[in-house]
Amino acid sequence: MRDTRFDEGCETVLGLGEVGEDQAGLVGGKGAHLGALSRLDGVRVPDGFCVTTDAFRRVVERAPEVDALLDRLAGADPDDRQAVRALSAELRRAVEEAVIPDDLAAGITGAVARLGEGAAYAVRSSATAEDLPTASFAGQQDTYLNVVGPAEVLRHVSRCWASLFTERAVIYRRRNGIDDRTVRMAVVVQRMVLPDASGVLFTADPVTGNRRTATVDAGFGLGEALVSGLVNPDVFTVRDDAVVARTIAVKQRAVHALPGGGTREVTVEPRQQERPALTDAQVVELVRLGRRIEAHFGCPQDIEWCLTDDGFGIVQSRPITTLFPVPDPVPEAVERRTPSVYVSVGHQQMMTDAMKPLGWSMWQRTAMVPMHEAGGRLFVDVTPRLASPASRAALLDVMGKGDPLVRDALETVLERDEFELPVPDAGDAGPVGPPAGGAPEASVTEADPAIVAELVERSETSVAALERDIRTKSGTELFDFLAEAFEEHKRVLSDPLSIRAIMAGMEAIWWLNEKLGEWLGEKNAADALTLSAPGNVTSEMGLDLLDVADAIRPHPEVVAFLTDVQDDAHGDGFLDGLVKLPGGSAAREAIDTYLRRYGMRCVAEIDIARPRWSERPATLVPLILDNVRNFGPGAAERRFEQGRLRALRTEQDVLARLRALPDGERKADATKRMIDQVRAFAGYREYPKYGIVCRYFLYKQALLEEAGRLVRDGVLDEREDVFHLTFQELEDVVRSRRADPRLIARRKEAFRSYEALTPPRVLTSDGEAVNGAYRRDDVPAGALAGLAVSTGSVEGRARVILDLADAELEEGDILVTRFTDPSWSPLFLGVAGLVTEVGGLMTHGAVITREYGLPAVVGVDQATRLIRDGQRIRVHGTDGYVEILG
């Protein structure tokens, strides 16, 4: 495994010793990594060379039919697997049959001659979109083992080039948003190693994500036996330089090299079949080697290894792309020297999508508690609260009411022997109350509507002042102003009266559910009492869109025009076209009025980078048309009044039944006070979020104006580049008038990779992702457990919708989605029930479904995967589970 160089002027053939890890564009991901490994002290890599992407380009340019086939492939329907399969096969045939220029063939055969013409080689694909931090492309292109002779090496180089267009590789690229034309193929040719054992080392647990735990898969002979699934491997788990678990498989078969080339399966001698492929000492040695490689590349690695008499050789190393990143440790956590435990902010905010840097960094600036970023998501370090017995119980209680799976995940971590909590310092535990701040000084006990009116007025006054003052600010003055504005933002958010009003509504709901369950045997009895609660800005948003439909419904030409608009994803100039139609002026005024109140909202609105309804009003068109089709005139007022009367009848029924009980008058009086408290304050819980989003829209408008100035001055290429900078980085750019385009490009690539990750509810600093489980015995076999948040039972067609823009609903449909935020509220008016993967008792979907009287179950793990679109399901909103009926 010497450092072989090929320096005789052939630009298309490079020895591994000549390749740097920054040359993936020339030698592909595998070649770049092997080149870096070949120079890493203590790491043995088989001798070899790379046939560069320049060679691939030259060959393809001589085959014009490849270009035409790529055009056809680009125009093919991505869902038409048969067409993709046929075009991929034609492309492979065209590339494989392309003639290799004489000078290139001579360069390759000369390199083989220098390594040994009679030797056997592994010929391995190395694409430019391969072994990336964002997508490994493992197994998408081909590898050929034990290739003997220069002519056979040449033939298999062509086969590797052709494997760029296997059906699986084409589909994988499409799923990762990679254009087929932008990918080039290099080929790595290495001396064959005939190992006693081989396998794979993961320097982090690929299932749990734990970075302290390494996993080794091992078998006899060539690694092809493991990759192909021919045998089960021995599996060793290593933690802190010790094998902590092992499973030794019965290895009946192995793959060995044939003397004349190629490989074959052989039977392992019976007495060897149950022998471990590696000793514990060898496993620990291998993991230490892997840690050295991991440290070099700066992230956990998936490493292919082989073992000969000379020791371990490394034949490939690539990033493990499926792991969720870990927050950067803060000095306090490093000093604690124990694992930190983080809780997902997104699961509380009902937005688990990745955020761009400006989005998460501004949320950090305006939040009431420190938050840490990982994978484009935010997390709160709850370790100090868990460390204190007093705050631990309160934290688990609050987490459990919000999302039982978060509580279970925290308890799962706490139960482990290896998890030792730090000894808390006095005052370390911090507040445990609502996210806005600490626990309220005292609950509001008097159901006075004037309290909510006063709070709304305070918020509106603050937002109006922000809107007035921010208009005059630009450049560095804008950022100085925003520093003050963020303090005002937090002051409004932490208003003690606001917190007490929120808690009054929540505590009244909890009290009613507990006491009426105890006294009357009813589950979630408060749900019907919250129907049409006054002052809920989010439910009003849905009802107000019904009024917009009323303004449009009488005008068929407007309806036809909007029907065309909804088919144009960016038809946001449609408002100007409306006024040219009969009834269009009234329609536009209705939409404009709606946007003036709600135009700052959008899907995933906590991310400032997301386009608001005012910026893309066409987003509302499908919702408006659904309302035109599914409802009649006056539906908003009628729906609200029906809910109010039902809540009133429920109240009268509950109080009458209580009075008939022993000590009934006292119970009824106490219940009446709590019902009044619910009616007065439950609706207000949605308002602080509305105020936040109003402020965020003003921040965004000011920052985008500043971004426009940066574009005009040539500092940025486009306005939206600012979203890929943190708030501090953007301020630095404005002050220095200089930006780093490479940083922005890296951030864009990282964001694409983060979008593919699923954030855990709980994450440890060791990288372990813990999602919790429902430990219940009251769920029927085959049903999906969740959290009951709105009573009732409904059966209907499941509509699995991941994007609000794709919503096409009919009366009686049940909405199944990952999460909902206020922007989904207008959709709730047209569905019969709700199922989400994320949510809790007091999160948005729960609050609005109770107000609209829809059965709902939230926190159903993997609901959008386990429930197919169009299936009939039954939602048990009282008992908290979903049955799949077929």
Side-chain angles (χ1 to χ4, degrees), residues 343 347 396 398-413 760-762 770-776 785-787 836-840 858-862:
V343 170
H347 285 82
L396 292 174
V398 170
M399 292 292 105
K401 286 178 177 175
D403 184 338
L405 293 178
V406 172
R407 174 173 184 147
D408 184 79
L410 290 172
E411 290 176 334
T412 298
V413 172
R761 285 175 164 83
V762 169
V770 190
N771 278 300
Y774 292 105
R775 305 181 192 281
R776 298 169 51 183
L787 178 63
T836 68
E837 294 181 345
V838 179
V858 302
V860 179
D861 191 36
Q862 300 188 63

mmCIF file of all heavy atoms in Angstrom, residues 343 347 396 398-413 760-762 770-776 785-787 836-840 858-862:
data_model
loop_
_atom_site.group_PDB
_atom_site.id
_atom_site.type_symbol
_atom_site.label_atom_id
_atom_site.label_comp_id
_atom_site.label_asym_id
_atom_site.label_seq_id
_atom_site.Cartn_x
_atom_site.Cartn_y
_atom_site.Cartn_z
ATOM 1 N N VAL A 343 -34.557 19.409 24.233
ATOM 2 C CA VAL A 343 -35.946 19.189 23.807
ATOM 3 C C VAL A 343 -36.204 20.036 22.565
ATOM 4 O O VAL A 343 -35.817 21.208 22.499
ATOM 5 C CB VAL A 343 -36.932 19.556 24.934
ATOM 6 C CG1 VAL A 343 -38.367 19.577 24.418
ATOM 7 C CG2 VAL A 343 -36.816 18.563 26.079
ATOM 8 N N HIS A 347 -41.341 20.862 17.947
ATOM 9 C CA HIS A 347 -42.491 20.052 18.341
ATOM 10 C C HIS A 347 -43.437 20.831 19.241
ATOM 11 O O HIS A 347 -44.622 20.490 19.331
ATOM 12 C CB HIS A 347 -42.012 18.767 19.038
ATOM 13 C CG HIS A 347 -41.457 17.748 18.089
ATOM 14 N ND1 HIS A 347 -40.169 17.801 17.615
ATOM 15 C CD2 HIS A 347 -42.032 16.650 17.504
ATOM 16 C CE1 HIS A 347 -39.966 16.780 16.786
ATOM 17 N NE2 HIS A 347 -41.073 16.075 16.709
ATOM 18 N N LEU A 396 -41.296 17.538 33.686
ATOM 19 C CA LEU A 396 -41.927 16.356 33.092
ATOM 20 C C LEU A 396 -43.438 16.533 33.012
ATOM 21 O O LEU A 396 -44.076 16.087 32.056
ATOM 22 C CB LEU A 396 -41.581 15.114 33.908
ATOM 23 C CG LEU A 396 -40.109 14.674 33.857
ATOM 24 C CD1 LEU A 396 -39.860 13.524 34.827
ATOM 25 C CD2 LEU A 396 -39.715 14.265 32.440
ATOM 26 N N VAL A 398 -45.119 19.455 32.686
ATOM 27 C CA VAL A 398 -45.418 20.397 31.597
ATOM 28 C C VAL A 398 -45.202 19.735 30.244
ATOM 29 O O VAL A 398 -46.028 19.872 29.327
ATOM 30 C CB VAL A 398 -44.549 21.663 31.726
ATOM 31 C CG1 VAL A 398 -44.663 22.527 30.478
ATOM 32 C CG2 VAL A 398 -44.963 22.464 32.949
ATOM 33 N N MET A 399 -44.081 19.003 30.094
ATOM 34 C CA MET A 399 -43.810 18.329 28.830
ATOM 35 C C MET A 399 -44.884 17.291 28.515
ATOM 36 O O MET A 399 -45.311 17.138 27.375
ATOM 37 C CB MET A 399 -42.441 17.652 28.881
ATOM 38 C CG MET A 399 -41.247 18.593 28.931
ATOM 39 S SD MET A 399 -40.987 19.555 27.420
ATOM 40 C CE MET A 399 -41.584 21.155 27.951
ATOM 41 N N GLY A 400 -45.331 16.575 29.542
ATOM 42 C CA GLY A 400 -46.343 15.542 29.330
ATOM 43 C C GLY A 400 -47.668 16.108 28.885
ATOM 44 O O GLY A 400 -48.365 15.514 28.055
ATOM 45 N N LYS A 401 -48.041 17.262 29.432
ATOM 46 C CA LYS A 401 -49.296 17.885 29.008
ATOM 47 C C LYS A 401 -49.185 18.409 27.584
ATOM 48 O O LYS A 401 -50.160 18.409 26.831
ATOM 49 C CB LYS A 401 -49.653 19.023 29.966
ATOM 50 C CG LYS A 401 -50.160 18.530 31.315
ATOM 51 C CD LYS A 401 -50.466 19.676 32.266
ATOM 52 C CE LYS A 401 -51.052 19.163 33.580
ATOM 53 N NZ LYS A 401 -51.243 20.239 34.573
ATOM 54 N N GLY A 402 -47.996 18.862 27.222
ATOM 55 C CA GLY A 402 -47.815 19.364 25.861
ATOM 56 C C GLY A 402 -47.702 18.251 24.843
ATOM 57 O O GLY A 402 -48.285 18.312 23.772
ATOM 58 N N ASP A 403 -46.925 17.205 25.161
ATOM 59 C CA ASP A 403 -46.686 16.108 24.231
ATOM 60 C C ASP A 403 -46.210 14.905 25.054
ATOM 61 O O ASP A 403 -45.066 14.879 25.520
ATOM 62 C CB ASP A 403 -45.622 16.512 23.211
ATOM 63 C CG ASP A 403 -45.381 15.445 22.146
ATOM 64 O OD1 ASP A 403 -45.691 14.268 22.398
ATOM 65 O OD2 ASP A 403 -44.878 15.792 21.069
ATOM 66 N N PRO A 404 -47.048 13.904 25.266
ATOM 67 C CA PRO A 404 -46.664 12.750 26.088
ATOM 68 C C PRO A 404 -45.407 12.038 25.588
ATOM 69 O O PRO A 404 -44.672 11.455 26.386
ATOM 70 C CB PRO A 404 -47.883 11.826 26.010
ATOM 71 C CG PRO A 404 -49.025 12.707 25.640
ATOM 72 C CD PRO A 404 -48.449 13.784 24.777
ATOM 73 N N LEU A 405 -45.157 12.092 24.273
ATOM 74 C CA LEU A 405 -43.980 11.420 23.744
ATOM 75 C C LEU A 405 -42.695 12.112 24.184
ATOM 76 O O LEU A 405 -41.662 11.458 24.361
ATOM 77 C CB LEU A 405 -44.050 11.349 22.217
ATOM 78 C CG LEU A 405 -45.163 10.453 21.653
ATOM 79 C CD1 LEU A 405 -45.167 10.505 20.138
ATOM 80 C CD2 LEU A 405 -45.007 9.022 22.137
ATOM 81 N N VAL A 406 -42.724 13.429 24.356
ATOM 82 C CA VAL A 406 -41.554 14.141 24.856
ATOM 83 C C VAL A 406 -41.268 13.700 26.289
ATOM 84 O O VAL A 406 -40.123 13.429 26.663
ATOM 85 C CB VAL A 406 -41.757 15.664 24.794
ATOM 86 C CG1 VAL A 406 -40.622 16.389 25.502
ATOM 87 C CG2 VAL A 406 -41.846 16.133 23.348
ATOM 88 N N ARG A 407 -42.319 13.613 27.093
ATOM 89 C CA ARG A 407 -42.119 13.166 28.471
ATOM 90 C C ARG A 407 -41.536 11.761 28.496
ATOM 91 O O ARG A 407 -40.593 11.487 29.251
ATOM 92 C CB ARG A 407 -43.432 13.212 29.241
ATOM 93 C CG ARG A 407 -43.287 12.622 30.648
ATOM 94 C CD ARG A 407 -44.495 12.794 31.512
ATOM 95 N NE ARG A 407 -44.206 12.277 32.862
ATOM 96 C CZ ARG A 407 -44.693 12.760 33.976
ATOM 97 N NH1 ARG A 407 -45.516 13.795 33.938
ATOM 98 N NH2 ARG A 407 -44.374 12.234 35.142
ATOM 99 N N ASP A 408 -42.083 10.858 27.705
ATOM 100 C CA ASP A 408 -41.591 9.483 27.710
ATOM 101 C C ASP A 408 -40.134 9.431 27.250
ATOM 102 O O ASP A 408 -39.331 8.662 27.791
ATOM 103 C CB ASP A 408 -42.451 8.606 26.803
ATOM 104 C CG ASP A 408 -42.027 7.151 26.866
ATOM 105 O OD1 ASP A 408 -42.403 6.473 27.831
ATOM 106 O OD2 ASP A 408 -41.282 6.709 25.969
ATOM 107 N N ALA A 409 -39.790 10.255 26.254
ATOM 108 C CA ALA A 409 -38.413 10.282 25.779
ATOM 109 C C ALA A 409 -37.474 10.754 26.885
ATOM 110 O O ALA A 409 -36.383 10.185 27.079
ATOM 111 C CB ALA A 409 -38.294 11.186 24.555
ATOM 112 N N LEU A 410 -37.864 11.786 27.613
ATOM 113 C CA LEU A 410 -37.039 12.267 28.725
ATOM 114 C C LEU A 410 -36.900 11.200 29.802
ATOM 115 O O LEU A 410 -35.805 10.981 30.340
ATOM 116 C CB LEU A 410 -37.647 13.535 29.317
ATOM 117 C CG LEU A 410 -37.570 14.797 28.450
ATOM 118 C CD1 LEU A 410 -38.373 15.927 29.076
ATOM 119 C CD2 LEU A 410 -36.118 15.228 28.254
ATOM 120 N N GLU A 411 -38.000 10.530 30.130
ATOM 121 C CA GLU A 411 -37.927 9.486 31.152
ATOM 122 C C GLU A 411 -37.066 8.321 30.686
ATOM 123 O O GLU A 411 -36.358 7.693 31.483
ATOM 124 C CB GLU A 411 -39.343 9.017 31.499
ATOM 125 C CG GLU A 411 -40.145 10.074 32.271
ATOM 126 C CD GLU A 411 -41.579 9.656 32.527
ATOM 127 O OE1 GLU A 411 -42.111 8.841 31.737
ATOM 128 O OE2 GLU A 411 -42.177 10.144 33.500
ATOM 129 N N THR A 412 -37.103 8.021 29.389
ATOM 130 C CA THR A 412 -36.264 6.956 28.841
ATOM 131 C C THR A 412 -34.786 7.270 29.054
ATOM 132 O O THR A 412 -33.993 6.402 29.433
ATOM 133 C CB THR A 412 -36.550 6.776 27.338
ATOM 134 O OG1 THR A 412 -37.919 6.390 27.168
ATOM 135 C CG2 THR A 412 -35.655 5.710 26.729
ATOM 136 N N VAL A 413 -34.408 8.517 28.809
ATOM 137 C CA VAL A 413 -33.019 8.931 29.013
ATOM 138 C C VAL A 413 -32.650 8.855 30.490
ATOM 139 O O VAL A 413 -31.570 8.377 30.864
ATOM 140 C CB VAL A 413 -32.797 10.354 28.466
ATOM 141 C CG1 VAL A 413 -31.412 10.870 28.848
ATOM 142 C CG2 VAL A 413 -32.971 10.386 26.954
ATOM 143 N N PRO A 760 -35.685 14.781 16.066
ATOM 144 C CA PRO A 760 -36.215 14.020 17.198
ATOM 145 C C PRO A 760 -36.888 14.939 18.205
ATOM 146 O O PRO A 760 -36.622 16.140 18.257
ATOM 147 C CB PRO A 760 -34.953 13.402 17.804
ATOM 148 C CG PRO A 760 -33.883 14.413 17.513
ATOM 149 C CD PRO A 760 -34.240 15.005 16.171
ATOM 150 N N ARG A 761 -37.759 14.370 19.024
ATOM 151 C CA ARG A 761 -38.351 15.149 20.102
ATOM 152 C C ARG A 761 -37.315 15.491 21.170
ATOM 153 O O ARG A 761 -37.314 16.579 21.723
ATOM 154 C CB ARG A 761 -39.527 14.381 20.725
ATOM 155 C CG ARG A 761 -40.783 14.385 19.855
ATOM 156 C CD ARG A 761 -41.874 13.508 20.448
ATOM 157 N NE ARG A 761 -43.173 13.803 19.841
ATOM 158 C CZ ARG A 761 -43.596 13.299 18.702
ATOM 159 N NH1 ARG A 761 -42.821 12.454 18.026
ATOM 160 N NH2 ARG A 761 -44.788 13.623 18.217
ATOM 161 N N VAL A 762 -36.447 14.528 21.455
ATOM 162 C CA VAL A 762 -35.393 14.723 22.449
ATOM 163 C C VAL A 762 -34.078 14.285 21.818
ATOM 164 O O VAL A 762 -34.020 13.267 21.122
ATOM 165 C CB VAL A 762 -35.692 13.925 23.735
ATOM 166 C CG1 VAL A 762 -34.481 13.914 24.664
ATOM 167 C CG2 VAL A 762 -36.904 14.496 24.446
ATOM 168 N N VAL A 770 -34.110 10.479 20.560
ATOM 169 C CA VAL A 770 -35.085 9.720 21.344
ATOM 170 C C VAL A 770 -36.464 10.314 21.083
ATOM 171 O O VAL A 770 -36.675 11.516 21.293
ATOM 172 C CB VAL A 770 -34.763 9.775 22.853
ATOM 173 C CG1 VAL A 770 -35.644 8.793 23.613
ATOM 174 C CG2 VAL A 770 -33.298 9.485 23.111
ATOM 175 N N ASN A 771 -37.392 9.488 20.629
ATOM 176 C CA ASN A 771 -38.710 10.000 20.254
ATOM 177 C C ASN A 771 -39.831 9.578 21.187
ATOM 178 O O ASN A 771 -40.945 10.054 21.067
ATOM 179 C CB ASN A 771 -39.047 9.584 18.820
ATOM 180 C CG ASN A 771 -38.400 10.508 17.809
ATOM 181 O OD1 ASN A 771 -38.646 11.707 17.797
ATOM 182 N ND2 ASN A 771 -37.529 9.961 16.974
ATOM 183 N N GLY A 772 -39.567 8.680 22.100
ATOM 184 C CA GLY A 772 -40.601 8.286 23.047
ATOM 185 C C GLY A 772 -41.610 7.323 22.438
ATOM 186 O O GLY A 772 -41.630 7.074 21.235
ATOM 187 N N ALA A 773 -42.449 6.788 23.300
ATOM 188 C CA ALA A 773 -43.470 5.830 22.860
ATOM 189 C C ALA A 773 -44.671 5.934 23.792
ATOM 190 O O ALA A 773 -44.565 6.396 24.931
ATOM 191 C CB ALA A 773 -42.915 4.412 22.878
ATOM 192 N N TYR A 774 -45.829 5.522 23.269
ATOM 193 C CA TYR A 774 -47.031 5.428 24.107
ATOM 194 C C TYR A 774 -47.026 4.065 24.789
ATOM 195 O O TYR A 774 -46.928 3.031 24.129
ATOM 196 C CB TYR A 774 -48.289 5.569 23.255
ATOM 197 C CG TYR A 774 -48.473 6.944 22.671
ATOM 198 C CD1 TYR A 774 -48.229 7.194 21.325
ATOM 199 C CD2 TYR A 774 -48.888 8.007 23.462
ATOM 200 C CE1 TYR A 774 -48.406 8.457 20.789
ATOM 201 C CE2 TYR A 774 -49.052 9.285 22.933
ATOM 202 C CZ TYR A 774 -48.811 9.491 21.597
ATOM 203 O OH TYR A 774 -48.973 10.748 21.073
ATOM 204 N N ARG A 775 -47.128 4.075 26.082
ATOM 205 C CA ARG A 775 -47.135 2.814 26.828
ATOM 206 C C ARG A 775 -48.564 2.606 27.340
ATOM 207 O O ARG A 775 -48.881 2.885 28.482
ATOM 208 C CB ARG A 775 -46.109 2.878 27.952
ATOM 209 C CG ARG A 775 -44.723 3.221 27.406
ATOM 210 C CD ARG A 775 -43.648 3.277 28.444
ATOM 211 N NE ARG A 775 -42.425 3.873 27.911
ATOM 212 C CZ ARG A 775 -41.524 3.254 27.152
ATOM 213 N NH1 ARG A 775 -41.720 1.982 26.830
ATOM 214 N NH2 ARG A 775 -40.446 3.871 26.719
ATOM 215 N N ARG A 776 -49.400 2.158 26.418
ATOM 216 C CA ARG A 776 -50.834 2.032 26.715
ATOM 217 C C ARG A 776 -51.314 0.633 26.390
ATOM 218 O O ARG A 776 -50.816 -0.011 25.471
ATOM 219 C CB ARG A 776 -51.629 3.043 25.876
ATOM 220 C CG ARG A 776 -51.287 4.490 26.169
ATOM 221 C CD ARG A 776 -51.903 5.442 25.141
ATOM 222 N NE ARG A 776 -53.311 5.209 24.946
ATOM 223 C CZ ARG A 776 -54.048 5.890 24.053
ATOM 224 N NH1 ARG A 776 -53.489 6.812 23.292
ATOM 225 N NH2 ARG A 776 -55.331 5.638 23.925
ATOM 226 N N ALA A 785 -51.752 4.652 18.088
ATOM 227 C CA ALA A 785 -51.955 5.415 19.318
ATOM 228 C C ALA A 785 -51.545 6.856 19.128
ATOM 229 O O ALA A 785 -50.623 7.178 18.383
ATOM 230 C CB ALA A 785 -51.153 4.791 20.457
ATOM 231 N N GLY A 786 -52.251 7.745 19.826
ATOM 232 C CA GLY A 786 -51.938 9.164 19.808
ATOM 233 C C GLY A 786 -52.501 9.827 21.048
ATOM 234 O O GLY A 786 -52.856 9.164 22.027
ATOM 235 N N LEU A 787 -52.588 11.131 20.998
ATOM 236 C CA LEU A 787 -53.104 11.908 22.109
ATOM 237 C C LEU A 787 -54.483 12.440 21.755
ATOM 238 O O LEU A 787 -54.660 13.094 20.727
ATOM 239 C CB LEU A 787 -52.152 13.078 22.411
ATOM 240 C CG LEU A 787 -52.563 14.032 23.534
ATOM 241 C CD1 LEU A 787 -52.611 13.295 24.872
ATOM 242 C CD2 LEU A 787 -51.604 15.208 23.604
ATOM 243 N N THR A 836 -52.557 14.232 13.288
ATOM 244 C CA THR A 836 -51.226 14.790 13.023
ATOM 245 C C THR A 836 -50.158 13.956 13.713
ATOM 246 O O THR A 836 -50.430 13.230 14.668
ATOM 247 C CB THR A 836 -51.105 16.249 13.520
ATOM 248 O OG1 THR A 836 -51.158 16.274 14.955
ATOM 249 C CG2 THR A 836 -52.199 17.125 12.948
ATOM 250 N N GLU A 837 -48.935 14.075 13.208
ATOM 251 C CA GLU A 837 -47.803 13.374 13.813
ATOM 252 C C GLU A 837 -47.254 14.122 15.019
ATOM 253 O O GLU A 837 -46.607 13.532 15.874
ATOM 254 C CB GLU A 837 -46.692 13.198 12.775
ATOM 255 C CG GLU A 837 -47.072 12.276 11.647
ATOM 256 C CD GLU A 837 -45.975 12.084 10.629
ATOM 257 O OE1 GLU A 837 -45.013 12.873 10.620
ATOM 258 O OE2 GLU A 837 -46.075 11.142 9.812
ATOM 259 N N VAL A 838 -47.467 15.436 15.052
ATOM 260 C CA VAL A 838 -46.914 16.290 16.097
ATOM 261 C C VAL A 838 -48.057 17.050 16.742
ATOM 262 O O VAL A 838 -49.002 17.455 16.072
ATOM 263 C CB VAL A 838 -45.887 17.282 15.512
ATOM 264 C CG1 VAL A 838 -45.331 18.199 16.588
ATOM 265 C CG2 VAL A 838 -44.756 16.525 14.823
ATOM 266 N N GLY A 839 -47.949 17.272 18.051
ATOM 267 C CA GLY A 839 -48.958 18.098 18.703
ATOM 268 C C GLY A 839 -49.177 17.707 20.145
ATOM 269 O O GLY A 839 -48.724 16.652 20.602
ATOM 270 N N GLY A 840 -49.866 18.588 20.859
ATOM 271 C CA GLY A 840 -50.184 18.356 22.252
ATOM 272 C C GLY A 840 -51.550 18.925 22.576
ATOM 273 O O GLY A 840 -52.266 19.417 21.704
ATOM 274 N N VAL A 858 -53.677 13.739 17.915
ATOM 275 C CA VAL A 858 -52.383 14.266 17.487
ATOM 276 C C VAL A 858 -51.264 13.419 18.085
ATOM 277 O O VAL A 858 -51.506 12.531 18.908
ATOM 278 C CB VAL A 858 -52.227 15.749 17.905
ATOM 279 C CG1 VAL A 858 -53.346 16.592 17.324
ATOM 280 C CG2 VAL A 858 -52.185 15.895 19.432
ATOM 281 N N GLY A 859 -50.031 13.693 17.653
ATOM 282 C CA GLY A 859 -48.895 12.929 18.162
ATOM 283 C C GLY A 859 -48.917 11.474 17.727
ATOM 284 O O GLY A 859 -48.410 10.616 18.451
ATOM 285 N N VAL A 860 -49.482 11.189 16.550
ATOM 286 C CA VAL A 860 -49.527 9.812 16.039
ATOM 287 C C VAL A 860 -48.252 9.578 15.241
ATOM 288 O O VAL A 860 -48.095 10.087 14.130
ATOM 289 C CB VAL A 860 -50.765 9.583 15.157
ATOM 290 C CG1 VAL A 860 -50.779 8.147 14.622
ATOM 291 C CG2 VAL A 860 -52.036 9.882 15.929
ATOM 292 N N ASP A 861 -47.331 8.833 15.803
ATOM 293 C CA ASP A 861 -46.017 8.654 15.197
ATOM 294 C C ASP A 861 -46.130 8.048 13.801
ATOM 295 O O ASP A 861 -46.797 7.032 13.603
ATOM 296 C CB ASP A 861 -45.157 7.764 16.099
ATOM 297 C CG ASP A 861 -43.699 7.736 15.690
ATOM 298 O OD1 ASP A 861 -43.186 8.783 15.254
ATOM 299 O OD2 ASP A 861 -43.069 6.671 15.809
ATOM 300 N N GLN A 862 -45.494 8.708 12.812
ATOM 301 C CA GLN A 862 -45.440 8.253 11.413
ATOM 302 C C GLN A 862 -46.820 8.099 10.786
ATOM 303 O O GLN A 862 -47.016 7.272 9.893
ATOM 304 C CB GLN A 862 -44.672 6.936 11.303
ATOM 305 C CG GLN A 862 -43.240 7.016 11.788
ATOM 306 C CD GLN A 862 -42.465 5.754 11.476
ATOM 307 O OE1 GLN A 862 -42.271 5.395 10.309
ATOM 308 N NE2 GLN A 862 -42.021 5.056 12.517
#
